[in-house]
């Protein structure tokens, strides 16, 4: 193979965006070969725009079995990702799935198992992993520059969404339609970056979600989560959609100092000597380690979605390692599921979570919602 | 009375500091008339320095009954404040107590009751209430400039204390000696300012304290607390003594914008229209309220301890309202006690707290400590 023939499932905002840069030939070694959408008007528009070069299918199943494509890009509602990916793998296709990987971890684990059995290239559209700020953070942490992490505090409250946004689609902010609120719709990047950049998943979580705060919706739009880690570190993750102007500030404190990412800048307060070493030898009751504050140079903007699609294409053609392996989509989703589950059970949630319990609790929400609203 | 004759109990760091500015005549209408300390060498030093102008007493009880003073400034270990204050009130003295008011709310409530029955002027040394930054914050919030508060996040991790500090006194960082760690010793100001500047006390708290993290001590030195308020607001309070360099950043988000205090500066992101009003009328799914960012001018440094002592003196002489009424000391202590209690019971703590349960749990810590260490 010297060209990957890509099929896109779902021509909404994301799917159309991916189609456009593929059509423009911006991903080397890839071409848009087919699209599928259950909405006839979308297919009609595709045909008008792209003509016979791009085949159109009324169902993903038909496209998967057409022989017209080598891989699929899944841009459908969250719930459908695992179902479609599993089907695509069974048809011998490579898969690149939009985030979030799914709504509940049980279905995503099944998707991961199907991927593992298929031998196909399986990626997830975590385009923020190409953001130089977080790549740099990951590099600083993994190389030991920050020392062992002791505490994290991420305030990500700048996902402002007014009632008008929530009213713009009946499926929005419903348990049945999207499977959640800010955690599943707005935060998948941050939840992934939190674990990816730091290399740490919590051992347990205690979280406090508010549902429909200052908004007429049924899902969570205000969350404070507390996380504990195996090494004794702790973390706080705060997110909401009703605050204006919000904040996006990620602070990580370690044995060698502190890093803060805010306003697209990274500041590093670096200790000349690790705190643990200073503490062991210091004899002055009120002394502190010497600290140097500086800004970390971060260059370039990252090619975002296009870079992820290029990387996935390269992985198919040349075996290039993936920036965002599909299997890792379950990590951010685990954090998100754990936060809801902790609220619903009003208690600690140990990781990995009880995926069946989460599924049952989610069904309860869906049923309650159907009873009260429809 | 045209001069308040003050007696100081406890000539440690704080007591000596207060004595010095009183001796220098920096508090109008007040004079240092007597001091008491159980350590003979401290009294000897006082006599050498100040001669016969200042009477010395080996016990506070004797000083309270000497007729030599009109009011006392209590600068003794935390546990003793309520006992000594109650005794002082019974002797007809005015009382200015150092913070924290005490170690557990039950003893502080008893102190408050004694004060109420005495008719004497009762203040607490919350000198940070004279800090123009927090005075301004309180003014902005109480005047409605920020609108109803929705969220708060205070990271106060710059109370760095090395092992050397903890080793500098056998009573330090012990349940029996100080009654706690960072919450009782370093944070009393922030815990008071949190409720004083915002005018809000939580309805319940869930907190996570770590004891002796990165330090060989038995008390808490790392805390994350989550608070819920009657109006639906939430808050996070994070504090520690082992991080270097720490952070002191207080973010408050409200219906009219956001205020951040950090690096001794106050920044206000002010919405032109309240968020709730914008949200009600806005029809553009991705629009946000117009926001103006500016720095709030804050002038002067606040006279701190001296200003509190002057204010208390003025209250005695002229009936001036107190900046920090003694009765309010129980509020910050309630927050601190609630955080420990939530950790010990691994659950929610409703406010006001169960003061007897807290007392019992504290005794358990003291007993366990005695068993394992002495």
């Amino acid at each position: 193979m010297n060209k990957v023939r890509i099929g896109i499932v779902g021509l909404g905002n994301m799917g159309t965006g991916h189609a456009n840069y593929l059509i423009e030939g911006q991903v080397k070694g890839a071409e848009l070969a087919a699209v599928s959408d259950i909405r006839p008007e979308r297919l009609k528009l595709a045909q008008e725009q792209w003509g016979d070069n791009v085949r159109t299918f009324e169902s993903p199943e038909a496209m998967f079995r057409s022989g017209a494509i080598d891989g699929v890009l899944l841009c459908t509602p969250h719930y459908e990702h695992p179902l479609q990916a599993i089907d695509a793998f069974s048809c011998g296709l490579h898969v690149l799935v939009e985030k979030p990987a799914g709504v509940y971890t049980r279905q995503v684990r099944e998707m991961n198992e199907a991927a593992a059995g298929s031998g196909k290239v399986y990626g997830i559209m975590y385009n923020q992993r190409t953001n130089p700020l977080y790549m740099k953070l990951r590099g600083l942490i993994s190389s030991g520059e920050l020392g062992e992490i002791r505490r994290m505090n991420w305030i990500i409250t700048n996902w402002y969404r007014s009632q008008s946004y929530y009213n713009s689609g009946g499926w929005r902010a419903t348990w049945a339609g999207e499977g959640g609120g800010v955690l599943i719709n707005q935060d998948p990047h941050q939840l992934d970056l939190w674990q990816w950049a730091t290399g740490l998943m919590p051992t347990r979580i205690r979280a406090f979600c508010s549902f429909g705060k200052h908004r007429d919706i049924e899902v969570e739009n205000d969350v404070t989560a507390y996380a504990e880690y195996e090494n004794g570190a702790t973390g706080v993750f705060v997110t909401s959609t009703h605050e204006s102007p919000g904040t996006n500030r990620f602070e990580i404190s370690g044995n060698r100092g502190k890093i803060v990412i805010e306003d697209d800048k990274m500041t590093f307060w670096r200790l000349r000597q690790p705190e643990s070493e200073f503490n062991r030898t210091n004899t002055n009751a009120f002394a502190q380690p010497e600290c140097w504050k500086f800004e970390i140079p971060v260059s370039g903007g990252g090619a975002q979605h296009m870079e992820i699609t290029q990387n996935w294409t390269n992985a198919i053609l040349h075996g290039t390692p993936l920036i965002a392996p599909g299997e890792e989509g379950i990590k951010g989703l685990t954090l998100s599921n754990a936060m809801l589950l902790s609220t619903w059970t009003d208690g600690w949630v140990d990781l990995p979570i009880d995926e069946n319990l989460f599924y049952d609790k989610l069904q309860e929400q869906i049923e309650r919602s159907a009873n009260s609203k429809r």
Side-chain angles (χ1 to χ4, degrees), chain A:
Chain A
M1 195 189 310
N2 55 17
K3 199 124 202 173
V4 180
R5 297 169 304 156
I6 297 179
I8 290 179
V9 186
L11 286 173
N13 284 340
M14 295 312 301
T16 305
H18 296 308
N20 284 335
Y21 64 72
L22 285 169
I23 286 285
E24 289 164 11
Q26 295 202 55
V27 175
K28 276 185 210 160
E31 64 179 3
L32 182 64
V35 295
S36 85
D37 202 298
I38 53 169
R39 296 163 295 188
E41 71 276 14
R42 294 281 170 164
L43 295 184
K44 190 161 168 271
L45 204 68
Q47 269 166 334
E48 285 168 11
Q49 279 191 286
W50 304 319
D52 291 339
N53 294 332
V54 179
R55 293 182 59 183
T56 55
F57 293 89
E58 285 169 25
S59 79
E61 294 78 11
M63 183 171 76
F64 295 169
R65 287 159 180 81
S66 65
I69 58 173
D70 306 306
V72 287
L73 222 164
L74 301 178
C75 309
T76 41
H78 318 330
Y79 273 113
E80 298 173 25
H81 295 166
L83 301 170
Q84 293 170 344
I86 291 167
D87 190 31
F89 287 127
S90 78
C91 296
L93 300 172
H94 304 286
V95 172
L96 179 54
V97 63
E98 264 292 349
K99 75 268 154 196
V103 172
Y104 49 96
T105 54
R106 194 171 78 190
Q107 61 169 189
V108 173
R109 186 179 46 73
E110 288 163 3
M111 170 167 71
N112 285 356
E113 286 164 5
S118 75
K120 296 295 162 184
V121 175
Y122 171 39
I124 182 162
M125 187 54 78
Y126 277 144
N127 48 291
Q128 279 292 324
R129 288 196 184 183
T130 72
N131 182 329
L133 272 171
Y134 298 100
M135 291 173 64
K136 178 64 91 172
L137 178 63
R138 179 172 151 93
L140 289 171
I141 292 171
S142 65
S143 64
E145 286 288 349
L146 186 60
E148 187 171 47
I149 290 176
R150 294 191 180 179
R151 180 193 305 291
M152 300 183 269
N153 187 293
W154 199 338
I155 306 176
I156 171 76
T157 53
N158 65 349
W159 286 117
Y160 185 76
R161 295 291 184 266
S162 64
Q163 189 63 44
S164 166
Y165 165 85
Y166 291 119
N167 294 346
S168 67
W171 75 95
R172 280 204 199 279
T174 62
W175 294 111
E178 297 192 309
V182 62
L183 291 170
I184 202 86
N185 285 296
Q186 280 77 41
D187 287 328
H189 285 304
Q190 283 77 35
L191 292 171
D192 176 58
L193 294 174
W194 190 18
Q195 66 81 24
W196 179 72
T198 62
L200 293 176
M201 279 288 282
T203 51
R204 62 175 186 164
I205 279 181
R206 184 70 178 90
F208 313 93
C209 300
S210 297
F211 305 92
K213 186 173 269 187
H214 303 290
R215 296 292 183 270
D216 182 22
I217 53 172
E218 65 186 27
V219 295
E220 87 286 354
N221 66 334
D222 183 311
V223 179
T224 298
Y226 169 75
E228 288 185 351
Y229 295 84
E230 199 167 6
N231 73 346
T234 66
V236 169
F237 185 87
V238 176
T239 189
S240 76
T241 63
H242 62 79
E243 290 171 75
S244 183
T247 295
N248 183 359
R249 182 181 184 278
F250 187 17
E251 169 174 320
I252 311 111
S253 166
N255 191 30
R256 296 199 71 122
K258 179 174 75 173
I259 290 175
V260 174
I261 296 182
E262 190 175 12
D263 298 331
D264 292 321
K265 283 191 309 195
M266 183 187 297
T267 309
F268 194 174
W269 288 257
R270 192 174 196 285
L271 302 183
R272 201 166 166 192
Q273 186 183 21
E275 193 286 325
S276 55
E277 199 178 299
F278 173 87
N279 185 54
R280 203 163 41 239
T281 53
N282 167 56
T283 55
N284 176 345
F286 286 93
Q288 276 204 47
E290 183 176 335
C291 178
W292 302 338
K293 175 184 175 183
F294 46 91
E295 207 173 297
I296 295 279
V298 175
S299 56
Q304 296 285 344
H305 301 97
M306 219 152 46
E307 189 169 340
I308 295 292
T309 308
Q310 182 69 68
N311 169 253
W312 175 69
T313 301
N314 294 348
I316 295 169
L317 294 176
H318 318 297
T320 309
L322 287 171
I323 295 168
E327 295 80 12
E328 296 181 11
I330 203 167
K331 294 186 177 181
L333 186 66
T334 295
L335 297 175
S336 149
N337 283 187
M339 291 176 193
L340 282 170
L341 192 54
S342 172
T343 305
W344 288 333
T345 59
D346 198 19
W348 287 106
V349 169
D350 291 324
L351 267 61
I353 68 166
D354 179 338
E355 60 182 33
N356 291 323
L357 180 62
F358 180 84
Y359 179 79
D360 293 344
K361 293 281 175 189
L362 177 62
Q363 299 316 305
E364 282 176 25
Q365 299 300 324
I366 293 171
E367 280 159 34
R368 201 170 303 162
S369 162
N371 290 344
S372 66
K373 282 199 155 186
R374 276 146 220 187

